Amino acid sequence: SSAAAAASSPPPPFVPLTSSTFPTPQPQIPLTFLVLNTKTSLTRSITLTPSPWPPGLGLLGLTLKLCTYAHPPPPLALTVSLGGCLDLSGVSPGTYLLGTEVQGPFCCAGDVDEGLRSGGETRLYVYDPEADYVSTRVVGRGVGERLGVTVGEGYLHEIPAR
């Protein structure tokens, strides 16, 4: 039967996504992606169907940031001062500081201070290894206010594999 033939056919070749290989979405034509979880080294297939609704959000309804991971792991919050900007936003010690919407991924401790500039609110992406969950925190930082965090960086502070 055709279902048996489709089930036994080899999967399509894996093509890493880059800005030049990313397919151009067409409305209502499904795109299938093989997604790799770099922590567990497991893959899964997902299918997204591009849609023009709601308008202004892009056809896929998400933002993809292509990272090479050629740099060391993201900075790790070693300590968080009570009452500091990051404490008030819900960041706790042991949380990885991944990056911001505007600056993108953090590569070193200096990026944290640069990405969370004073004088406004910033959406910060964080990874909690205990919960195995990525979330966002809104960090409000007044002019001249300290972040209240000690950051560890480099391979000594890699995201743990399960």
Side-chain angles (χ1 to χ4, degrees):
S1 81
S2 63
S8 64
S9 65
F14 174 74
V15 178
L17 279 184
T18 66
S19 56
S20 62
T21 62
F22 191 82
T24 303
Q26 301 295 322
Q28 307 307 320
I29 298 176
L31 294 171
T32 300
F33 297 95
L34 182 64
V35 179
L36 169 67
N37 180 327
T38 58
K39 182 175 176 183
T40 63
S41 297
L42 298 175
T43 60
R44 65 185 174 111
S45 179
I46 63 167
T47 300
L48 300 174
T49 302
S51 171
W53 291 99
L57 292 182
L59 293 175
L60 294 177
L62 56 92
T63 300
L64 293 177
K65 293 214 177 215
L66 301 174
C67 301
T68 64
Y69 298 106
H71 52 76
L76 171 66
L78 298 175
T79 63
V80 179
S81 301
L82 288 175
C85 300
L86 292 183
D87 175 54
L88 296 174
S89 69
V91 173
S92 58
T95 301
Y96 288 89
L97 310 174
L98 302 178
T100 65
E101 286 181 323
V102 175
Q103 182 180 346
F106 293 155
C107 297
C108 64
D111 289 348
V112 176
D113 192 54
E114 179 72 21
L116 299 171
R117 294 181 185 207
S118 59
E121 289 188 343
T122 305
R123 185 178 300 271
L124 171 69
Y125 293 93
V126 298
Y127 171 69
D128 179 348
E130 292 298 316
D132 195 22
Y133 187 74
V134 173
S135 61
T136 58
R137 301 284 190 260
V138 176
V139 179
R141 186 177 183 189
V143 175
E145 189 174 6
R146 296 191 183 274
L147 289 172
V149 65
T150 303
V151 176
E153 62 182 316
Y155 291 103
L156 179 62
H157 303 289
E158 283 188 26
I159 294 176
R162 292 206 188 257

